[in-house]
């Protein structure tokens, strides 16, 4: 196994570093690429050779496309700086020796998240309190809105709030303003907590970080606006919500999480909205969690979500 | 209450007739029409005046359309023939005095059901055994198929099986042949247990009885053929099945029942098919039951399903 | 129908009063008692005679116990004071003429709710924001806790917070103190938002209003404390949450709402806790809503929940 | 990696054998035991060294108990006989070198299943047709019943049916008779398709193969008999079904699969029975499938079910 000539190899005598809460630091690698014989052995061998101990490993193979996916989490001896080196060495090995796409995170990383909202408070309030209760990893560091409605809420939970007016004519300027704010915060993720504007391909092309949206229907049913009204008119017996990565094509990005609830003829449109909001909240939080825990891989406009 | 001049009025001294199993016979009325003050009182009063006793009553009001719906089930003294008279009198009262659409069934009625199938055995086998176990009301009296595959199964459960070849060129002739068979059996309901042909508007216009289909997706997502393949390609996290009345517009008739199941990236198309078949079976049986128990009203291409 | 000699009868010429938002005021009656012929007709007739219009009516009959249940909602002409009179007249008629238990509410009533909490913020934060977003009827007017942990949250949402220490020795005195506070607020409902103490039979006997608790298991499985630990140890594949009325017998009161989620061997106890909290929140809110919308009737330690 | 001195090592030049349908034969190993560093690497390395290709690998680590679980499926060059040798060599390596419990199956194995039934046809009919439709692996080879009721059904689907009378006094003799029949068929699995007798510890100690039962409640709620009646009396809003391995302690064996459905006050006991039977069928089939696909590991009276 010649790939181990790097300097990150096997120091089992050293101690394993811990985070602030005393939990051992771990490395989490997410890989995917063309399947070939020996991938599992190569990855496991690399870790073993460095004194590492696999905590979790999950593989998936898309037999039709012949693509291999892996999420592997391990501890290994050394300080945080050693782990950063190991993360880089692993990535290089995966890319160069295994021909895999790869990214590696360290469990103590605290990704920074920003939220875009309009007027509807439901999803923002829910995730803001989940973060306060430490139910979600990372941290929510700013909120941008095209309305003032949620400014008071943000103040009550000490969340920086930025109002950026957005009208049809001003859209490019608004998006520029938003981008400037987002970049100042050095975000790792942007979430749309019921943001009622369509982001331009330019914005999405520039932002450089993943964007997660929650849509209030079980996509691909009822895309676009007013899905609860559409569901009511069609007389469906099930409503849903979908969290997905945002792509240039509206409501068509890779789906991360979906949930549904049964309804009957007794439910009015406002009942659907109220019941649907419970789904939106839980699906949105679940997608954010899966993303921040490094459990989501995207390919072919679909996701592999390791649980 | 001047409408009670008819001869069906109040004979509380008489006994209540029973069916073969000793269960009291009941009348079940299904009404709908423009809402107006006093409908509930008029219906309840009519029944009370004839010595009747309401067993179940369920109302619904579509506030947007101002339409009133009711399902009411009651016993009243008299023999079966008296109940048939009462059913007719009630219908006339509902139509003439209340301006309502109305149909009235008697609990001992045994509606006759026919099934169209192609090759897939799943739904036919399931409902055939449900009827054998008396889990469904009415009875399944015949099966028609454009293939021979299910003939042996039908024989094993003593179900008359008719093969009617159906090719593109012969479609009108095939449908004529099918109609003749269906009419001989004097069916009350036709069910499509995974029938893989599209019925022509002509056929549907002529048949004169409701037709229930099961579609293997959570409509309106993935209409048409190969929905599991569509679902797999889109990367949804939920699959479903839908039972609906058949209308001339493909996969767009009023939805009676829907169910869904969660899936993950691990599920192949054949896993989706296998898991979906459980949904198809239960949704199909549930829709047939609701229909045969006189619980379904249709308006505006939607259903009211009283449970 | 001799019962209509009262002065609340038929003034259809008058206008129907509206609430602050312009919605017509309605009366909501909840009845139950021994079933007998003509109940539906008598209730509907009484309303009709007073110029009323039934908006919703829902009946249930427990065939084994021969008990009849009804929820009926109607508008009728007159001012709020007239409706209060009508409510009283209806109750008397129901009790005296029909032999039914009965209570009647008016749609503009705003029941006052208090919450008991300990340290866990999850359910309190959720319902507090639901009330702020007007997702729940009535209003939350005070919070009492045996700990200080949630005082700051209450302050941030302008909710009066009362700390009442509660140790084993001081329990009677603590409960007395709590009762005094609750009575000052003239509450209509007390909700236990993860309150980790057992209320004494004395307290429950004195309080004089319904008490709703949320328990973090699908009762009757895993009653008592640490149900997620019990569920983990037993290896179940489903966890749940239950909202129920509190009775003197621990975790055994009438169940109002339950929900469940699937789990796998991968979920640790802390995963169960986190996932379960989503269930707790939605089940708790749903039970409070059903109660405050006058949809719940209790008999034989079970509930009828009209939806 | 000195463990590879055996003669099963690396013949990548040979072809991979296929089963009757042309699908490549694979080996499936199920391991569990004390966790230690390097397990994943050792297993993957062993397979790689023999020219194998991992198709699926799934790990689990119980952090509390420090137990490691793995299911790994791979192809490797050679004929069926070579694969049998490889299976044995792998087992020995896992036991001796890794200190793991281990069993290895080959994908073309067709485990033989027997069913015990009483009078209720529901589950037997469902699985019999699932096997006929090739929805389940292995094959159902015999049915034993303490009643004659299902003999005709078995005949209609060409399933050998054995009637073994079982009264309280005769129980030991009956169980002996059953054991003799089961042993003649050389079964790999026994399933109780609503068998209404309790099997004695003696029987369970002697039979030597796993036994799967389906119980009609969401255990541990409502163990014992008449769970639907218990559920109705308690007023729960959810019913369920549970498939579990049978142990000497009634209804307390390791749970393999559970499912639930919502109910309301409208559902009578017979509605619960009917709805529950849908759950029983799907949970029973799912547990049998998971077991026969070698996805279930048992420890501490719980299961790890790899999906």
């Amino acid at each position: 196994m010649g790939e181990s000539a790097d300097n990150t190899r096997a120091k089992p005598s050293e101690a394993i570093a811990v985070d602030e809460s005393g939990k051992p630091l771990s490395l989490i690698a997410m890989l995917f690429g063309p399947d070939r014989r020996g991938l599992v052995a190569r990855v496991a061998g690399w870790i073993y050779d460095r004194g590492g101990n696999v905590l979790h490993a999950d593989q998936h193979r898309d037999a039709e496309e012949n693509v291999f996916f892996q999420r592997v989490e391990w501890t290994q001896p050394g300080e945080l700086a050693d782990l950063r080196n190991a993360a880089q060495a692993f990535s290089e090995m995966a890319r160069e020796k295994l021909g895999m796409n790869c990214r590696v995170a360290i469990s103590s990383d605290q990704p920074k998240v920003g939220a875009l909202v309009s007027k509807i408070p439901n999803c923002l309030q829910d995730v803001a309190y989940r973060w306060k209760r430490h139910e979600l990893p990372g941290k929510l560091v700013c909120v941008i809105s095209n309305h003032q409605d949620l400014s008071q809420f943000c103040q009550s939970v000490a969340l920086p709030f930025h109002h950026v007016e957005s009208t049809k004519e001003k859209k490019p300027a608004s998006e520029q303003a938003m981008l400037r704010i987002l970049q100042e915060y050095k975000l790792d993720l942007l979430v749309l907590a019921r943001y009622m504007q369509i982001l331009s391909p330019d914005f999405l092309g520039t932002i450089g970080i993943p964007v997660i949206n929650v849509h209030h229907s079980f996509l691909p049913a009822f895309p676009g606006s007013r899905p609860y009204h559409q569901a009511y008119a069609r007389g469906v017996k099930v409503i849903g919500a979908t969290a997905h990565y945002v792509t240039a094509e509206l409501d068509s990005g890779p789906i991360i999480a979906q949930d549904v609830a049964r309804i009957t003829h007794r439910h009015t449109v406002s009942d659907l909205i109220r019941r649907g909001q419970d789904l939106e909240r839980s699906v949105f939080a679940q997608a954010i969690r899966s993303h921040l825990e490094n459990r989501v891989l995207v390919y072919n406009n679909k996701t592999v979500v390791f649980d």
Side-chain angles (χ1 to χ4, degrees), chain A:
Chain A
M1 295 193 177
E3 76 270 26
S4 48
D6 63 72
N7 64 356
T8 64
R9 199 154 174 178
K11 318 166 185 168
S13 57
E14 284 179 51
I16 291 173
V18 296
D19 67 12
E20 291 178 1
S21 68
K23 227 180 121 190
L25 295 190
S26 59
L27 292 114
I28 301 139
M30 298 285 280
L31 309 96
F32 74 101
D35 190 26
R36 60 189 217 195
R37 211 173 72 78
L39 287 172
V40 175
R42 295 288 285 276
V43 167
W46 191 96
I47 293 168
Y48 182 76
D49 287 349
R50 273 140 201 87
N53 190 25
V54 172
L55 301 182
H56 303 284
D58 210 345
Q59 284 87 231
H60 175 60
R61 216 173 127 258
D62 186 319
E64 283 181 33
E65 308 276 342
N66 201 39
V67 180
F68 174 86
F69 303 84
Q70 188 175 37
R71 179 186 191 272
V72 57
E73 180 170 0
W74 73 95
T75 52
Q76 69 177 57
E79 294 303 310
L80 182 56
D82 300 319
L83 299 193
R84 295 229 181 274
N85 289 339
Q88 196 172 339
F90 184 93
S91 290
E92 281 164 19
M93 178 276 294
R95 268 190 296 266
E96 291 163 20
K97 303 274 166 72
L98 309 180
M100 296 267 127
N101 274 285
C102 182
R103 65 172 196 267
V104 187
I106 292 176
S107 61
S108 59
D109 292 344
Q110 288 287 319
K112 284 190 267 182
V113 184
L116 293 193
V117 297
S118 292
K119 294 177 167 186
I120 300 172
N122 163 36
C123 287
L124 178 66
Q125 289 173 346
D126 184 67
V127 292
Y129 274 99
R130 286 183 195 260
W131 261 297
K132 279 175 91 79
R133 293 190 302 257
H134 308 288
E135 280 182 36
L136 286 173
K139 49 187 178 177
L140 180 62
V141 295
C142 69
V143 174
I144 303 181
S145 179
N146 55 332
H147 294 278
Q148 291 283 11
D149 303 58
L150 294 173
S151 125
Q152 203 187 339
F153 168 75
C154 288
Q155 206 179 329
S156 77
V157 291
L159 253 179
F161 177 89
H162 301 269
H163 176 240
V164 177
E165 220 182 323
S166 177
T167 57
K168 226 176 199 169
E169 312 82 60
K170 291 193 191 169
K171 188 159 178 170
S174 304
E175 291 196 343
Q176 282 309 312
M178 281 161 50
L179 279 172
R180 273 192 304 274
I181 297 169
L182 297 173
Q183 278 152 4
E184 268 168 36
Y185 283 100
K186 297 190 200 307
L187 297 183
D188 300 290
L189 175 69
L190 180 65
V191 299
L192 312 189
R194 303 299 311 280
Y195 181 65
M196 308 307 271
Q197 304 261 321
I198 295 172
L199 296 169
S200 73
D202 268 6
F203 180 94
L204 294 171
T206 311
I207 186 168
I209 55 172
V211 181
I212 293 177
N213 181 43
V214 58
H215 189 271
H216 36 322
S217 88
F218 51 114
L219 290 173
F222 312 125
S225 65
R226 294 166 67 86
Y228 293 124
H229 292 78
Q230 293 182 58
Y232 181 82
R234 180 62 188 89
V236 290
K237 303 300 186 190
V238 164
I239 57 168
T242 303
H244 62 96
Y245 289 114
V246 176
T247 58
E249 198 181 341
L250 184 66
D251 296 340
S252 298
I255 292 170
I256 310 168
Q258 293 192 295
D259 201 3
V260 290
R262 293 163 174 285
I263 55 164
T264 75
H265 62 271
R266 294 188 190 285
H267 295 104
T268 61
V269 169
S270 52
D271 291 330
L272 301 196
I273 291 173
R274 183 172 47 73
R275 295 197 160 217
Q277 288 181 338
D278 276 16
L279 299 174
E280 294 165 28
R281 283 195 288 262
S282 66
V283 151
F284 189 50
Q286 188 187 333
I288 294 172
R289 164 188 309 287
S290 294
H291 177 87
L292 293 178
E293 291 184 348
N294 298 291
R295 299 185 176 280
V296 191
L297 281 168
V298 175
Y299 81 113
N300 278 5
N301 205 41
K302 304 202 291 186
T303 61
V304 167
V305 183
F306 291 117
D307 62 356

